[in-house]
Amino acid sequence: MTKGRFAPSPSGRMHLGNVYTALLSWLLAKKADGSWLLRIEDLDRQRCKRVCAEQLLDDLRWLGLVWDEGPADADDMQYRQSARTCLYERAFDTLREQGIVYDCFCRRADLLAATAPHASDGTPVYAGRCISLTDAQKADFVRAGRVPAQRVAVPDTISSFYDGHFGAQQCNLAHDCGDFVVRRADGTFAYQLAVVVDDALMGVTQVARGADLLAATHQQLFLYQALGYAPPQFFHLPLLMSADGRRLSKRDKDRDMGSLRSQYTAQDIIGLIMWLCGFSARNEAMDLSEALTIFDANRLPHAHIVVADPSVL
């Protein structure tokens, strides 16, 4: 049975781009007569707030996007990454036993490792600087007060998979992805490791998410294989973009749910998204049952979808 999921980060109020991803992931799962799971990805405890998790649950319920499996409320820790550290520890130990984990004293990528690695963030391919450090060099870093993060070393080999929307994907792990952080210097496990462990152990078989995570899938597939898990079917979605080429995001305060709920109905928002995707000829209110009836994943565009003015519907 198909099990899809929506796994937002409670680092701010949901915006139109988040709602778009939630709606399409729900439609994909339900079109396959499957279930829909909600998980709260709150690895980065400095950025993720309980109040945002409360708002997130309330916004989804207001939209009618009720999950089949997931947290009953913001205090339900079973579906929050911050409460699943012991599971990530076991997976990390498995990788370390395979001899593919090494200390990294670099910092820039470490700071971003607990968040989803969006392509638009411009994180460069890691050059492998620390994999060749001698014991003496490592000791010098430690004496200077530097605590290492841990990276996994990827092989010089081709990774490939078939995306449900964008088709065949391929890259060279060493040249195109590079070694990546699985645990930050502060002990926080990285998004790449946590998302693989969670999806595998929660039985997720279908992952629908933004196309800016397409490249990161290769790193996750490497971890699926290393940990002995079966990967899900990936379905990457074109992004909602502003007229100036930005993806809609929390950091830019684009059209959040507080503003949307004050002016529009849930049916207005669902209808807008279905119209933007080309599933309906007019921008008009629509309920979820209507959206499910007309939804056809094969009609979803491959080009990013421009919202001419994200400040208005």
Side-chain angles (χ1 to χ4, degrees), residues 19 23 32 37 56 68 71 146 151 177 188 246 272 280-281 298:
V19 178
L23 175 61
L37 177 145
L56 193 154
D68 301 294
R146 295 279 289 274
R151 288 184 186 268
C177 294
T188 301
R246 292 181 297 108
L272 167 71
S280 61
N298 293 321

Side-chain angles (χ1 to χ4, degrees), residues 140-186:
D140 287 342
F141 276 123
V142 172
R143 278 193 294 270
R146 295 279 289 274
V147 179
Q150 277 78 45
R151 288 184 186 268
V152 291
V154 298
D156 184 359
T157 189
I158 298 297
S159 168
S160 61
F161 73 98
Y162 190 87
D163 185 71
H165 185 55
F166 287 100
Q169 304 293 314
Q170 180 174 294
C171 82
N172 180 287
L173 281 175
H175 298 160
D176 301 323
C177 294
D179 300 347
F180 56 95
V181 173
V182 288
R183 194 171 196 174
R184 299 193 327 189
D186 64 2

Side-chain angles (χ1 to χ4, degrees), residues 193-267:
L193 179 63
V195 73
V196 167
V197 171
D198 288 338
D199 282 342
L201 297 186
M202 291 181 176
V204 171
T205 65
Q206 180 191 80
V207 171
R209 60 190 184 186
D212 51 346
L213 291 173
L214 193 58
T217 306
H218 293 286
Q219 296 172 330
Q220 292 162 25
L221 287 171
F222 173 76
L223 292 178
Y224 273 104
Q225 182 176 15
L227 295 170
Y229 297 143
Q233 169 66 56
F234 291 97
F235 195 104
H236 287 84
L237 309 170
L239 305 180
L240 289 193
M241 308 289 286
S242 65
D244 62 1
R246 292 181 297 108
R247 68 179 167 90
L248 304 190
S249 67
K250 295 171 188 172
R251 72 189 72 175
D252 297 314
K253 304 298 182 186
D254 284 309
R255 206 54 175 162
D256 71 26
M257 281 296 292
S259 177
L260 292 174
R261 286 180 63 167
S262 71
Q263 301 177 67
Y264 305 100
T265 68
Q267 291 74 27

